Amino acid sequence: MTYDPTGHLLLTPVDREAPVRVQRLRQLGIGEHPDPAFDEFAHKLAEVTGAPYSMVNFIDENQQFFAGLHTPEGAHAGTDLSAVAAAGGVSRFMARDHGYCPHVVVRRKALVLEDVCDYPRFAGNPVVDEIGIRSYLGAPLIDRTGIALGTICVVDTEPRPWGRAGLETIKSMAAELIEQIHHREDSGF
């Protein structure tokens, strides 16, 4: 965390690894376009956790991109966050200062927020008011080069008791997806 000149805590952590991450994502050929395999993984993640929303999220210097996205029936994946949020859907793009995945990437550790409103640092995040997010469970995707490529995460509009089981599940699923990414790389995409 850093402070601005007025002494206020900034909500999004400084991400010094972003340029290297972007280079690695380009090398892998991921993180810029929706990917049916990542959408399928997001769907599986939603089923396993019982969460209405799940994402495979890659983060660059300015934004987050959900290469894999699962939403409940009736929601849709668009391209403009403000228009989609107003329509009740979820976009594939989100500003870097929205949501909790940038914290997971910088911390390089899973994050469990059973009720984001219980944490002043996270309760003020724009996704609480704009999208109605109340709970979050995410884990970093750390590849064999040691770079945190992004995250997998699930969110809900209601508080959720993810508990130890949720934490273990999200970490296990992140390891599974990293294996798939490495397999893609080894087989030449």
Side-chain angles (χ1 to χ4, degrees), residues 23-174:
Q23 183 178 24
R24 178 68 173 142
L25 290 170
R26 300 307 171 258
Q27 179 184 19
L28 292 168
I30 58 177
E32 292 184 294
H33 306 286
D35 186 309
F38 293 150
D39 280 341
E40 185 177 315
F41 190 88
H43 178 71
K44 177 181 173 182
L45 183 58
E47 284 185 337
V48 168
T49 62
Y53 298 93
S54 61
M55 297 92 169
V56 175
N57 186 11
F58 299 109
I59 302 171
D60 67 20
E61 294 98 329
N62 304 307
Q63 68 182 1
Q64 304 174 67
F65 177 69
F66 304 127
L69 178 63
H70 171 86
T71 62
E73 295 300 315
H76 60 283
T79 56
D80 174 41
L81 176 64
S82 57
V84 174
V90 174
S91 171
R92 287 217 185 240
F93 294 93
M94 187 181 305
R96 193 178 165 280
D97 63 349
H98 284 53
Y100 310 106
C101 291
H103 294 271
V104 172
V105 166
V106 170
R107 290 169 22 123
R108 304 173 65 84
K109 294 180 182 178
L111 178 62
V112 179
L113 300 172
E114 293 182 344
D115 185 343
V116 299
C117 294
D118 289 344
Y119 304 88
R121 169 199 249 173
F122 298 117
N125 195 284
V127 296
V128 175
D129 293 331
E130 292 178 15
I131 303 173
I133 300 303
R134 284 295 300 273
S135 62
Y136 172 91
L137 176 64
L141 296 169
I142 300 173
D143 82 343
R144 64 177 122 208
T145 68
I147 295 171
L149 302 174
T151 68
I152 61 169
C153 68
V154 294
V155 297
D156 201 336
T157 56
E158 299 293 329
R160 291 283 299 263
W162 303 111
R164 178 63 113 189
L167 178 62
E168 294 306 318
T169 297
I170 201 78
K171 289 165 59 174
S172 171
M173 296 288 289

